[in-house]
C-alpha cells in the first residue's frame, strides 16, 4: 500500500464513524423513544471523541509525513488538501472537549424538542446556555480575527467572516425592506381564504413524494420520514435520507420542506459514488448546498410553470378544497409576501429578513452582549422591528429553529447565500436551457438536473464556492441577480 | 477517580460502541434503503474493530492491573469478573479479523434478505461460505476441546458444549418424537378451516400491541417496527425495541412473534437501570433469555385462560372471520401439533425438532462434514426424516432463519433450553401464584411479571444460568417438566 492508499483507508474509518453519527442523529429525530435520550448523548459523545482521536492519531501523523504533496496527482491532491485542512482544524480542539460538546448537543437537541412542543423556553435555556458557552470556548480554541462567530462561520463557509458577510447581507436586507414596503402598499393582494381549511396529511405526503420523484430524487437510494424539523442526511452514498413535517392546517409547509430537502439530497446523489468515504463528498460550503435546496423549493416549486403542471394533480387530490381555485391563484398564494413568524414558512422576500435577525442575534450571543436568558425578549423585539409583528409565544419565536440546539452557530447566513447563488444559477440556466420553462410546464426536470449535476454536483468539494460559481455562471458571487429576480417577479404579481 | 471508576468509564465507551452497533443493525433490518447495504458493512466493521481495540487497549491494561479483586465489593466484583471474562475472550481475536467478521456478517445479512425474498440460495451461498469459514477460524482462535462449535456455544451458554447439550436435547427429541406419533394418530384433530382467510394486518398489529402492553412491555421506552425476521434489541436501557412480521394470510405469525419479542424486551426492561453501560446488563445466557420469550409466547399466549380473555377482543376486530369460532376452537387451533416447515410458526411440540435439525447441521457445517453448497439438500433430507415432509423451496427450508447469516452459530440450542427453563419456571410460578390462571383469565399479568422480575430479571448477568434456575425453582436444569407439560396439555387436547 502506498502512503496515500493508507491515508484513504484511515480516512475511510473516520468517515465510517461520521456515518454512524449521522444515523444516530437521524434516529434521534425520527424514531428514538424518549427513554433513549440520556444514553444517546453518551453514545454520540463517545463516537465523536473516537472520530477526533482517529483524526489526530500517530498513525495518521506517520502516514501524512510520508506523503509528498508534489507527487500526488490532481485527484489525490484535492483529497489530501481537504484532509489536511480538516485535520489542522480538528487538532485545535482537545479530545475531552469534543466529547463534551457532542454530548451537550445531543442533550440540548432533546431539550429543544421538548421545549418547542410545550413552548417552554425554560426547559431549553440551561442547555442553550451550555451550548453557547462551549461554542465560545471553541472559538478560542480555533482562534479568530474579529468576531468569535468567525471561527464557526468558517466551518460552513471557508472564506467568509462576519465582516465579509455584512456588505452582501446588508445590501440584501436594504433591497428587501424597500421592496417589502411597496408590496405591502399594493392593493393587489392574493386571495388566501381558500387555504383556511384542513388538508389530509397522507395526501400532502403523497403529493410531495410524487414531486420530488419527478425532480429526480432517487428515493430508492434514500427514504423520507417525518420529523419536527425537516432535514437531509447522507448515511452513505446509496442512502441519502430526507425528512418532512406535515400539518393538516398548512398546505404549503410539507410541500416546501419536501422540495427543499430533496434539493439537498439530489446534490449529494449527484456527487461521484467513487467519493464514498472521502472528505470531498460534500459541498464546498453550506451556502452552495442551500442554493440547491432553495433552487428546487423556490425558483422551481414556486414558479408559474410548475403550478401549471402540478395544480391539476393537487386539485384531483383535494377536489373539494380546490374546486374554485385556479393555477394562477395557487401561484399568487404560495408567493404571498407578508410579515410572518416562521422562517421555514416565509415567502422568498421576507425570508432573508429572518436570516438577518438570526445572524444579528447569534453575533450577540457569541459575542457576549446578549445573555441566553434574554434571548426571547431580544428575538421578539427584533421581530417587531423588522416585521412589525410580535410573536405571541416562543414556539413562534426563538424556539422555532433547531440549529443553535445542535451547536450550529454561524450557519444561518448560508440560507441567504443559498438564495443569492440560486438566483445566479437560474440566470445562467435560463440562458443555457432556453426551453427550461416549457419543460417545467410538463413536469420534465431532466435537463435542469443534468445541468446542475454537470456544473455543480459532480465537483463535490473540489472547487471553493467562489471558483465554482465563476465556473458555473461566469460571475463572482453578487446579490444583484436575486434582487432583480424579486423585483421582476413581484412587480408583476403585485402590479407595482 | 479510583481504578474501578476508571474501568467503569472505559467500559462505558465500549458499551456506547455496542449501542451504536445495535442501532446500525436495527436500521439495517428496518428502514435502510438497499443502496445503503455496501457501506453498512464498512461502518459496522469499523465500529466492531474500534470496540475490540478499546477492549484490549493499554489504558485498560493499566487500569485492570491497578484493580485489587479482593478489595472490590460484591457488585464491583460481578462487574469486574464479567469484564475480565469478556476481555480474555476478545483478546483471542486479532483486530483485523474482528473487522472482517463484522463486515462479512453485515454483507451476508443483506444477501440473506435478498436470497430469502427470491428463494434463491445461490445469492446467499458465497456469503454463508465465508461466514462459516470465518466462524471456523474463530473456533481456532478461541480454542475448543471437542467440537469447533463449542467455541461458539460458549458465547451463548457459558458452561455448555456439544457434548453437554446432547443428553438434554436427545431426551427432549426422543420424548417429542414419541408424543408426536401419538398426537398424529389421534382422531381428535382441531378445526383449522376458519384460519384460511385474510386477516387485516393493521388489526393484527393493533391486537399484538394491546396484548404486549397488557403483559407489561413498556412501549414508551421502546418501539415496535416491522422486519423480515422479528427480533428484540436494546439500544439503551430506556430504548428497548422489538420488531414483528405481519402476513395477512397468517393470523398466528405476528401474534406469536410479537409476544415472543416482548418477552425478551420485558427481561431487559426488568434489569436495573443502574446497570446502564455495564456488562451485567444481559442474561447469563441466551437460553435464559429465550425462557422469557417462550414463556410469554407459549406458556401464557397459547393457554386456555389467555384465550378466554382475548378471544372476544380478537373476535370484535374480526367479526366476520371469527363469527362461528369459540375460545376453545381458537385454543385448539393455535396449539395444533403437526409437521411444518417454519420454525417460528411451529407448535411448541415440534418446535424442538426444528432445533434438533439446526443443531445437527451447524455441527456438520462447522465440523467440515457438510459443505455450504450441499446445505439445501441436507436440510431438506433431514426435514423429511424428522417431519415426514419436504420443503418445496429454500425459502421454507434453509433460508428461513437469519441466524447463520449473522454468524450466530451455536445459538439454536438456546431456544430448546428456553423451552426447558420456561417449563421449570412455570411449574414453580403455579405454586407461588395460586391465582395465576384466574389473573390471566382477566388479562392481569402484574403478579406474574413481578415474580419474573424478582426471581430472574433483576439479576442481569450476576448469576450463571444454573445457579439462577436453582435459586428460582429449587432445581437444577432438567427436561422433565417440559415433557410433562406437553404430556399433560396434549393428552387433554387430543384425548390421547
Amino acid at each position: 500500500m502506498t502512503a496515500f492508499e493508507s491515508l484513504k483507508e484511515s480516512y475511510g474509518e473516520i468517515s465510517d464513524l461520521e456515518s454512524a453519527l449521522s444515523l444516530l442523529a437521524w434516529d434521534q429525530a425520527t424514531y428514538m423513544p424518549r427513554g433513549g435520550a440520556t444514553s444517546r448523548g453518551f453514545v454520540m459523545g463517545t463516537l465523536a471523541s473516537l472520530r477526533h482521536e482517529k483524526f489526530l492519531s500517530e498513525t495518521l501523523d506517520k502516514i501524512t509525513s510520508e506523503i509528498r504533496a508534489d507527487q500526488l496527482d490532481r485527484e489525490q491532491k484535492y483529497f489530501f488538501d481537504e484532509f489536511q485542512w480538516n485535520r489542522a482544524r480538528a487538532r485545535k480542539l482537545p479530545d475531552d472537549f469534543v466529547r463534551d460538546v457532542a454530548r451537550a448537543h445531543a442533550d440540548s437537541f432533546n431539550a429543544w424538542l421538548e421545549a418547542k412542543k410545550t413552548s417552554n423556553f425554560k426547559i431549553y435555556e440551561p442547555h442553550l446556555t451550555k451550548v453557547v458557552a462551549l461554542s465560545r470556548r471553541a472559538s478560542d480554541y480555533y482562534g479568530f480575527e474579529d468576531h468569535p462567530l468567525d471561527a464557526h462561520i468558517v466551518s460552513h463557509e471557508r472564506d467568509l467572516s462576519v465582516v465579509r458577510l455584512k456588505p452582501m447581507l446588508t445590501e440584501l436586507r436594504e433591497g428587501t425592506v424597500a421592496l417589502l414596503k411597496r408590496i405591502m402598499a399594493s392593493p393587489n393582494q392574493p386571495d388566501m381564504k381558500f387555504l383556511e381549511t384542513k388538508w389530509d396529511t397522507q395526501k400532502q405526503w403523497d403529493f410531495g413524494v410524487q414531486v420530488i420523484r419527478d425532480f429526480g430524487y432517487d428515493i430508492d437510494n434514500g427514504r423520507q420520514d417525518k420529523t419536527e424539523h425537516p432535514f437531509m442526511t447522507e448515511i452513505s452514498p446509496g442512502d441519502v435520507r430526507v425528512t418532512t413535517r406535515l400539518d393538516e392546517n398548512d398546505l404549503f409547509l410539507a410541500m416546501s420542506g419536501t422540495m427543499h430537502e430533496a434539493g439537498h439530497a439530489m446534490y449529494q446523489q449527484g456527487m461521484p459514488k467513487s467519493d464514498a468515504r472521502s472528505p470531498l463528498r460534500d459541498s464546498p460550503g453550506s451556502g452552495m448546498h442551500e442554493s440547491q435546496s432553495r433552487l428546487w423549493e423556490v425558483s422551481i416549486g414556486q414558479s408559474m410553470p410548475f403550478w401549471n403542471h402540478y395544480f391539476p394533480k393537487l386539485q384531483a387530490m383535494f377536489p373539494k378544497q380546490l374546486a374554485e381555485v385556479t393555477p394562477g391563484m395557487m401561484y399568487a398564494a404560495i408567493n404571498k409576501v407578508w410579515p410572518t413568524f416562521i422562517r421555514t414558512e416565509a415567502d422568498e422576500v421576507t425570508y432573508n429578513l429572518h436570516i438577518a435577525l438570526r445572524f444579528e442575534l447569534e453575533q450577540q450571543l457569541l459575542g457576549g452582549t446578549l445573555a441566553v436568558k434574554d434571548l426571547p425578549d431580544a428575538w421578539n423585539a427584533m421581530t417587531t422591528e423588522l416585521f412589525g409583528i410580535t410573536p405571541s409565544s416562543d414556539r413562534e419565536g426563538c424556539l422555532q429553529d433547531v440549529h443553535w440546539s445542535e451547536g450550529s452557530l454561524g450557519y444561518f447566513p448560508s440560507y441567504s447565500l443559498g438564495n443569492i447563488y440560486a438566483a445566479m444559477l437560474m440566470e445562467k440556466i435560463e440562458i443555457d436551457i432556453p426551453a427550461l420553462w416549457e419543460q417545467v410546464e410538463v413536469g420534465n426536470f431532466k435537463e435542469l438536473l443534468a445541468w446542475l449535476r454537470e456544473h455543480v454536483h459532480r465537483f463535490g468539494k473540489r472547487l471553493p464556492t467562489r471558483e465554482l460559481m465563476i465556473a458555473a455562471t461566469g460571475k463572482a458571487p453578487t446579490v444583484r441577480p436575486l434582487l432583480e429576480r424579486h423585483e421582476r417577479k413581484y412587480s408583476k404579481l403585485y402590479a407595482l
Side-chain angles (χ1 to χ4, degrees), chain A:
Chain A
M1 245 202 263
T2 67
F4 184 77
E5 280 161 354
S6 301
L7 174 67
K8 279 193 85 167
E9 183 56 32
S10 284
Y11 188 81
E13 291 177 4
I14 291 167
S15 155
D16 289 338
L17 282 165
E18 278 168 10
S19 175
L21 279 162
S22 299
L23 184 69
L24 286 157
W26 173 85
D27 180 71
Q28 185 178 26
T30 51
Y31 296 119
M32 185 186 79
R34 265 158 77 180
T38 323
S39 298
R40 190 54 52 95
F42 280 105
V43 176
M44 293 181 77
T46 294
L47 263 67
S49 154
L50 279 171
R51 176 189 172 285
H52 192 248
E53 260 176 39
K54 271 225 164 281
F55 221 152
L56 304 182
S57 69
E58 284 170 23
T59 316
L60 272 175
D61 283 341
K62 196 171 161 295
I63 292 170
T64 51
S65 74
E66 285 166 9
I67 289 180
R68 292 277 307 274
D70 56 350
Q71 288 177 3
L72 298 177
D73 66 28
R74 199 171 65 155
E75 272 296 299
Q76 291 174 332
K77 196 147 176 355
Y78 282 133
F79 187 113
F80 188 57
D81 288 350
E82 182 59 31
F83 170 81
Q84 290 287 66
W85 193 92
N86 289 312
R87 191 157 191 250
R89 198 167 149 84
R91 203 186 288 285
K92 296 182 173 164
L93 303 183
D95 186 48
D96 283 0
F97 180 75
V98 170
R99 194 192 47 229
D100 292 348
V101 164
R103 281 188 190 170
H105 290 174
D107 293 346
S108 162
F109 172 79
N110 288 320
W112 169 77
L113 271 183
E114 205 48 35
K116 183 172 178 186
K117 203 174 287 168
T118 51
S119 195
N120 181 355
F121 184 73
K122 284 285 161 222
I123 296 174
Y124 180 42
E125 190 189 311
H127 292 276
L128 183 58
T129 304
K130 191 167 177 188
V131 167
V132 169
L134 287 167
S135 301
R136 186 63 187 76
R137 269 180 64 199
S139 301
D140 287 333
Y141 285 130
Y142 286 132
F144 55 90
E145 258 181 65
D146 294 309
H147 195 286
L149 192 60
D150 293 345
H152 295 271
I153 290 172
V154 82
S155 74
H156 311 301
E157 304 292 343
R158 201 158 293 179
D159 304 314
L160 296 179
S161 62
V162 171
V163 166
R164 288 196 198 145
L165 278 164
K166 269 197 174 157
M168 285 175 99
L169 297 186
T170 306
E171 183 185 352
L172 181 54
R173 177 175 164 171
E174 285 168 3
T176 300
V177 167
L179 178 61
L180 179 59
K181 211 170 281 177
R182 288 159 60 214
I183 289 173
M184 295 302 288
S186 163
N188 295 324
Q189 295 295 328
D191 172 14
M192 303 296 276
K193 275 266 163 54
F194 75 87
L195 292 165
E196 291 166 9
T197 178
K198 302 280 182 200
W199 309 88
D200 180 83
T201 51
Q202 183 56 47
K203 288 180 184 170
Q204 289 195 51
W205 174 278
D206 294 342
F207 180 75
V209 168
Q210 156 151 26
V211 169
I212 62 178
R213 271 184 190 274
D214 291 351
F215 280 176
Y217 169 53
D218 177 4
I219 203 167
D220 299 324
N221 282 298
R223 50 178 294 114
Q224 184 174 263
D225 298 272
K226 294 168 204 158
T227 52
E228 180 56 31
H229 200 291
F231 63 92
M232 180 282 298
T233 185
E234 171 168 315
I235 311 292
S236 71
D239 186 359
V240 180
R241 306 184 186 188
V242 293
T243 71
T244 195
R245 188 154 81 89
L246 295 158
D247 181 346
E248 62 164 1
N249 296 309
D250 193 332
L251 178 62
F252 295 148
L253 181 71
M255 191 182 286
S256 302
T258 302
M259 291 193 263
H260 182 99
E261 302 309 332
H264 282 303
M266 288 186 284
Y267 193 173
Q268 291 299 129
Q269 291 184 331
M271 293 176 192
K273 282 254 159 130
S274 52
D275 280 352
R277 302 173 98 220
S278 151
L280 300 173
R281 210 183 147 77
D282 200 352
S283 63
S286 323
M288 208 61 230
H289 228 304
E290 293 301 338
S291 79
Q292 299 306 291
S293 52
R294 296 290 288 170
L295 187 148
W296 289 99
E297 176 196 356
V298 181
S299 311
I300 301 301
Q302 298 176 6
S303 70
M304 192 64 233
F306 176 90
W307 284 108
N308 282 336
H309 181 68
Y310 284 102
F311 184 74
K313 294 175 194 295
L314 193 68
Q315 202 175 31
M317 282 179 156
F318 298 104
K320 266 194 198 160
Q321 294 98 315
L322 296 176
E324 310 289 315
V325 182
T326 65
M329 287 165 71
M330 187 72 184
Y331 172 66
I334 201 169
N335 282 294
K336 160 114 180 151
V337 176
W338 55 351
T340 51
F341 294 121
I342 307 293
R343 174 183 61 85
T344 54
E345 299 168 21
D347 60 87
E348 64 172 318
V349 175
T350 60
Y351 189 95
N352 296 303
L353 299 180
H354 288 276
I355 299 308
L357 179 153
R358 285 153 181 77
F359 185 45
E360 176 59 35
L361 293 180
E362 61 188 3
Q363 285 173 54
Q364 295 180 15
L365 281 172
L366 211 60
T369 55
L370 174 64
V372 168
K373 73 169 168 44
D374 300 325
L375 175 63
D377 287 345
W379 186 289
N380 294 347
M382 202 169 164
T383 306
T384 314
E385 182 200 327
L386 278 173
F387 297 96
I389 53 175
T390 311
S392 63
S393 76
D394 291 334
R395 204 185 138 84
E396 41 183 42
C398 67
L399 285 175
Q400 67 180 271
D401 284 315
V402 66
H403 305 62
W404 293 341
S405 83
E406 298 178 318
S408 208
L409 281 96
Y411 187 93
F412 283 115
S414 301
Y415 291 109
S416 282
L417 293 174
N419 293 333
I420 291 166
Y421 303 153
M424 292 177 65
L425 292 170
M426 283 305 295
E427 195 176 53
K428 186 63 165 48
I429 289 166
E430 287 180 335
I431 295 167
D432 286 0
I433 313 177
L436 175 74
W437 296 114
E438 284 91 46
Q439 291 169 6
V440 171
E441 199 131 29
V442 295
N444 173 4
F445 306 96
K446 287 199 177 61
E447 214 179 328
L448 170 59
L449 182 57
W451 192 98
L452 293 168
R453 298 228 141 135
E454 172 67 19
H455 294 92
V456 179
H457 302 177
R458 73 185 169 98
F459 294 103
K461 225 168 172 167
R462 285 170 180 75
L463 302 180
T465 302
R466 193 183 154 85
E467 276 184 46
L468 187 62
M469 286 304 294
I470 291 174
T473 70
K475 288 177 192 162
T478 156
V479 180
R480 193 193 41 77
L482 178 60
L483 289 176
E484 286 179 3
R485 170 194 156 81
H486 287 172
E487 180 64 33
R488 218 165 39 240
K489 180 171 175 181
Y490 294 96
S491 290
K492 206 169 156 195
L493 252 168
Y494 284 87
L496 301 181

